Amino acid sequence: MDRSKWSLMAWIFVTCLTASAYAQLPAELSIRQIGEDFVLENRFLRVRVEPLGGKIVEFLDKEADLDYAQGPADADKLWRGFLKDRIWERMGQTEMIRSNYQLSIIRQTQNEVALEAKMTASEGDVAGLQFTKRYTLRRANCMLEVNCRVQSQGAWAELTPWLHTVFNLR
């Protein structure tokens, strides 16, 4: 066998080893689905969003090893987590926190991942309102960007959106 073939085989072997080693390193920025939930993660944060209410149920600060969204073990699943949609003038309307939002990845690049949670209400005074939350995490950023939108599909009404959140501080 001539030297060029040995060189090519050595290069392929080293390339495979290098690729294998990199595949085992944790990704610096990722978005993945676990069951029905989605997890956005970078080297600073791990954020888990669940369909029920389209809310954050894990907000882990990796450096401090503190999950700000973790509530008591006996907490009602309906009320746990961050960013539960409520309308102040319609406190009796709980469809926004009882419904499953449609979760979908809308951006996945080397430097940024984004998840959208969307639901259109169908009950009572909030029927026709579309609730959308967009969660964006960037590679070298220790902040999660959240954009919330309430869009009316029907008649105009005055509303005061309330993103119900309880923080767990040690």
Side-chain angles (χ1 to χ4, degrees):
M1 194 179 264
D2 68 34
R3 288 181 188 252
S4 63
K5 288 182 183 175
W6 280 109
S7 297
L8 177 61
M9 288 175 60
W11 178 81
I12 290 171
F13 179 72
V14 170
T15 302
C16 290
L17 282 179
T18 305
S20 176
Y22 281 118
Q24 294 174 20
L25 293 175
E28 194 173 322
L29 178 68
S30 67
I31 186 169
R32 62 192 183 283
Q33 187 169 1
I34 298 177
E36 293 183 336
D37 299 354
F38 281 83
V39 176
L40 296 82
E41 187 168 6
N42 67 13
R43 68 180 198 189
F44 304 105
L45 298 172
R46 182 171 59 233
V47 179
R48 181 186 289 251
V49 178
E50 74 174 11
L52 182 63
K55 64 187 179 231
I56 296 171
V57 293
E58 179 184 27
F59 192 91
L60 178 69
D61 175 340
K62 292 180 176 182
E63 190 171 306
D65 192 29
L66 181 59
D67 181 359
Y68 290 102
Q70 183 181 33
D74 62 347
D76 185 341
K77 184 175 179 170
L78 194 64
W79 293 104
R80 71 181 180 149
F82 289 175
L83 301 177
K84 296 174 283 294
D85 295 316
R86 304 295 306 276
I87 302 296
W88 185 262
E89 294 86 358
R90 290 152 180 86
M91 290 303 294
Q93 297 289 328
T94 59
E95 181 181 10
M96 294 84 70
I97 60 172
R98 289 185 290 106
S99 296
N100 280 331
Y101 281 52
Q102 179 182 351
L103 302 180
S104 56
I105 297 171
I106 58 169
R107 191 173 314 108
Q108 187 172 11
T109 68
Q110 218 174 9
N111 296 312
E112 179 178 275
V113 294
L115 178 72
E116 187 172 78
K118 189 181 284 190
M119 188 276 293
T120 301
S122 61
E123 297 177 5
D125 293 344
V126 295
L129 290 181
Q130 184 179 69
F131 295 84
T132 305
K133 292 178 265 199
R134 183 171 291 173
Y135 302 101
T136 304
L137 188 62
R138 291 180 179 81
R139 174 181 298 281
N141 201 320
C142 60
M143 297 184 311
L144 175 71
E145 180 182 312
V146 181
N147 294 301
C148 301
R149 184 177 68 200
V150 179
Q151 185 175 359
S152 176
Q153 307 294 322
W156 185 87
E158 189 171 309
L159 302 172
T160 308
W162 175 27
L163 298 172
H164 187 268
T165 300
V166 176
F167 288 94
N168 174 32
L169 300 176
R170 280 193 242 180

